[in-house]
């Protein structure tokens, strides 16, 4: 059961968190403790990094120098770990004080990490150099998706069980604005040009073994004016969202429909719905070297066997 993916474009490697061996959040028998390494040049599995004794890896971000992976884990009552990608060993960890750390955001300078905590009323702030918790940001209903702006000034956070997006000031580590949205938001990212926040709506009330899933939605937020764009229908359970490097296209992984919605960010409409294999989850946009064709690829982790 893979969760999130991160890409090292310099070495053309992808790192994929395997969160569980079966089931899903709070509904599984066996957690995983592996980070998988894939070659993007050959698009094949290279090796597994054993994160033990840490388990349940979820969110992942690579440091600016691409030397370290920071990963949220369910082990230890909820923690953030650091993996040296040269030696492929865990070199640091810190408890985030939350049972369900999920996605995470890293500031572009690599100084601060923020963990979204599904079941606790705060976002945890971690100083990466010392791997210590330096603060908590009040978010009363738990948090889901989280993303830092490319200029490092803000972090955008999705409320887990209320229809709100939080805008966090990175200097003060406080919520500077709360955006009312139609329904509880899910995944969040920011376009590389910093102009738009992109987020999805899962559209189901509670986690259960077989939740009833309605129409999923995608929406934009102007990062400067904080004005919302129109809601755009995508597939059921749109678990993640990524943006192209030129900030013109969004990609949404629809977990229950086994599709990826490709969205034109100028026209604000779905241009293509692409079928994929079972249960697409984590998704990243990969810029391919000039010698390769096509010029860009989409990598999505999925739950297929």
């Amino acid at each position: 059961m893979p969760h999130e993916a991160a890409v090292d474009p310099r070495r053309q490697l992808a790192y994929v968190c395997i969160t569980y061996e079966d089931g899903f959040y709070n509904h599984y028998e066996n957690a995983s403790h592996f980070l998988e390494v894939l070659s993007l040049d050959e698009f094949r599995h290279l090796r597994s990094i054993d994160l033990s004794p840490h388990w349940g890896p979820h969110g992942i971000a690579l440091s600016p120098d691409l030397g370290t992976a920071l990963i949220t884990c369910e082990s230890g009552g909820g923690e953030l770990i650091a993996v040296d990608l040269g030696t492929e060993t865990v070199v640091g960890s810190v408890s985030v004080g939350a049972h369900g750390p999920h996605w995470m955001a890293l500031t572009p300078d690599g100084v601060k990490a923020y963990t979204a905590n599904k079941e606790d009323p705060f976002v945890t702030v971690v100083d990466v150099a010392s791997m210590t918790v330096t603060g908590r940001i009040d978010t009363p209903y738990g948090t889901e998706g989280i993303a830092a702006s490319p200029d490092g000034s803000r972090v955008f956070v999705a409320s887990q069980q209320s229809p709100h997006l939080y805008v966090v000031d990175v200097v003060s580590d406080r919520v500077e604005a709360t955006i009312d949205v139609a329904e509880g938001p899910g995944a969040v990212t920011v376009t590389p040009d910093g102009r738009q926040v992109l987020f999805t709506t899962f559209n189901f009330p509670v986690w259960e073994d077989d939740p009833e899933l309605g129409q999923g939605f995608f929406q934009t937020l102007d990062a400067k004016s904080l004005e919302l764009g129109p809601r755009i229908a995508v597939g059921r359970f749109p678990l993640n969202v990524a943006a192209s490097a030129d900030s013109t296209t969004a990609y949404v992984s629809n977990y229950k429909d086994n599709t990826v919605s490709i969205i034109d960010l100028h026209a604000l409409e779905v241009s293509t719905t692409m079928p994929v294999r079972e249960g697409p989850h984590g998704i990243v946009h990969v810029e391919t070297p000039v010698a390769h064709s096509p010029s860009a690829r989409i990598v999505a982790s999925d739950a297929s066997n």
Side-chain angles (χ1 to χ4, degrees), residues 92-107:
S93 65
V94 59
S95 171
V96 298
H99 169 70
H102 199 210
W103 275 300
M104 63 154 297
L106 182 66
T107 54

Side-chain angles (χ1 to χ4, degrees), residues 214-226:
Q215 176 74 63
F217 292 93
F218 164 89
Q219 199 165 6
T220 62
L221 175 76
D222 186 288
K224 184 176 181 180
S225 69
L226 302 183

Side-chain angles (χ1 to χ4, degrees), residues 13-285:
L13 296 176
Y15 298 91
V16 180
C17 295
I18 310 298
T19 309
Y20 312 117
E21 294 179 11
D22 48 59
F24 55 92
Y25 185 80
N26 273 351
H27 290 79
Y28 63 88
E29 293 185 7
N30 301 289
S32 170
H33 48 88
F34 288 106
L35 179 68
E36 305 299 343
V37 186
L38 311 179
S39 166
L40 294 180
D41 284 324
E42 301 172 351
F43 215 73
R44 67 182 179 91
H45 179 265
L46 296 177
R47 55 192 174 274
S48 301
I49 300 174
D50 190 343
L51 303 176
S52 298
H54 312 282
W55 51 265
H58 277 270
I60 180 172
L62 304 187
S63 61
D65 65 2
L66 303 176
T68 304
L70 293 160
I71 303 171
T72 53
C73 293
E74 289 186 34
S75 50
E79 59 184 345
L80 181 70
I81 68 171
V83 178
D84 185 305
L85 297 178
T87 62
E88 297 188 343
T89 57
V90 178
V91 293
S93 65
V94 59
S95 171
V96 298
H99 169 70
H102 199 210
W103 275 300
M104 63 154 297
L106 182 66
T107 54
D109 59 9
V111 171
K112 285 183 178 181
Y114 296 81
T115 69
N117 305 318
K118 290 172 73 73
E119 299 182 37
D120 292 273
F122 55 86
V123 167
T124 304
V125 187
V126 175
D127 175 79
V128 173
S130 62
M131 288 296 282
T132 57
V133 172
T134 57
R136 290 181 174 183
I137 301 167
D138 291 338
T139 51
Y141 303 101
T143 44
E144 190 72 74
I146 187 168
S149 61
D151 66 2
S153 65
R154 288 170 160 177
V155 171
F156 298 90
V157 191
S159 179
Q160 163 75 347
Q161 295 191 34
S162 73
H164 300 109
L165 270 174
Y166 302 113
V167 182
V168 174
D169 175 75
V170 167
V171 174
S172 64
D173 284 333
R174 294 184 179 181
V175 174
E176 66 175 37
T178 300
I179 310 301
D180 295 329
V181 295
E183 296 176 90
V188 180
T189 194
V190 185
T191 54
D193 64 11
R195 293 182 179 181
Q196 296 188 85
V197 182
L198 315 178
F199 64 97
T200 65
T201 299
F202 297 160
N203 193 13
F204 66 91
V206 293
W207 285 92
E208 53 189 31
D209 289 329
D210 189 18
E212 181 178 347
L213 295 164
Q215 176 74 63
F217 292 93
F218 164 89
Q219 199 165 6
T220 62
L221 175 76
D222 186 288
K224 184 176 181 180
S225 69
L226 302 183
E227 293 182 359
L228 290 165
R231 300 180 81 205
I232 300 169
V234 289
R236 291 178 303 154
F237 208 174
L239 256 180
N240 216 325
V241 58
S244 62
D246 62 6
S247 302
T248 63
T249 308
Y251 305 87
V252 175
S253 54
N254 303 308
Y255 184 85
K256 278 295 185 179
D257 282 353
N258 304 327
T259 61
V260 171
S261 297
I262 301 176
I263 299 165
D264 183 324
L265 291 177
H266 292 310
L268 287 178
E269 62 183 16
V270 175
S271 58
T272 307
T273 299
M274 180 176 67
V276 294
R277 295 188 62 185
E278 180 186 352
H281 196 324
I283 185 166
V284 291
H285 181 269

